[in-house]
Amino acid sequence: MSPQAAAYFLGGAADEVTLQQNRAVFDRYALVPRVLTGMRHGSTALSLLGRPLAHPILLAPVAYQRMAHPDGETGTAMAAAALEALMVLSCQASEPLEDVARAGATCRWFQLYMQPTREATMTLVCRAEAAGYEALVVTVDAPISGVRNREMRAGFQLPEGIAPVNLQGLPPAPPPEGSNVVFDHFMAQAPGWSDIAWLHSQTRLKLVLKGIMHPEDARRAIDLGADAVIVSNHGGRVLDTAVPTLLQLPAVVRAVAGEVPVLLDGGIRRGTDILKAHALGASAVLIGRPVVEALSVRGAQGVAHVLRLLRDELEIAMALCGCNALEQIGPELLRQL
Ligand SMILES: Cc1cc2nc3c(=O)[nH]c(=O)nc-3n(C[C@H](O)[C@H](O)[C@H](O)COP(=O)(O)O)c2cc1C
């Protein structure tokens, strides 16, 4: 990867406090293994929004993957399918969403940024429906870009030939009615809860809200008909010093009270991290940077390899903790340091 691409893919917002703490907080939990439990017929299988999955490791939406490797999103989708991993395609993918869906049968969730006009949003929703996507993952935590100091210092710009191709040709945004860049330009076009309710009424796809950190927001999402929520701070790329996701997970899980699945991302790097997230109530996890790092090293093969490693590590962690099914992983396996 060029230093500029590395700053984009691996960096976080501002001082990268949240980026680091997302990962570090997993190490504040120690595992209390159980032994001699008999581990035959163990499995990491689960069912998520009506779809059977072999394991709870999803690929998070990550933009512009062709910048990491020419295999791009279609390469990632092929690897995800080979390793039976559900993939979420970024709204800012560098390849057409139809091509990626064709490349990998497990690329079935489309991440949506609500567009400045409803017409533009519906153009994307209709394309996702027609291409066979089963869920819309609406990212709600980034109505405006974070303060990306690492990118600025590296002088990052999208290289020629890399673009958010699915957003090209959409109806344009209305002109801003004021001169304040943050509030009159970005936030004037940002979606609100009423837009989520509207979207829900316009599509037959499942609705997942990504970027929910507050328990009351989780409740509101469910009341508006969300089928799942993802506890996420965008991998520390938007609001620096935002609370690490694992720390916030139990409060969201309590508020959701089992009504819909709660997923988590941010800082998952080991099988034991997946087990800890599950112990605190996450039905499944998503991984972002490990996927693009692997993609940059060896294209689709690299992504397949990283997924294989994580699947193996999760199985080993479960076996060594005495759990032969995800349902057996609970908070009693954890002690806080
Ligand atoms: C380079 C990069 C690009 C991303 N692009 C998107 C995106 O287009 N849409 C989105 O919802 N999240 C995006 N994310 C956030 C990820 O979906 C995910 O929340 C985050 O990467 C999880 O943290 P992790 O990288 O520590 O696994 C991006 C993350 C990275 C690192």
Side-chain angles (χ1 to χ4, degrees), residues 9 61 63 90 111 113 139 210 232 234 237 265-267 269 288-289:
F9 282 122
S90 166
Q111 180 259 321
Y113 283 121
T139 299
K210 174 173 182 279
S232 172
H234 221 104
R237 295 170 69 79
D265 73 19
R269 300 294 180 266
R289 292 180 185 83

Side-chain angles (χ1 to χ4, degrees), residues 193-208:
W193 287 107
S194 59
D195 298 296
I196 301 296
W198 165 80
L199 179 65
H200 187 244
S201 72
Q202 297 296 309
T203 177
R204 57 183 170 74
L205 301 184
K206 299 258 166 53
L207 197 61
V208 180

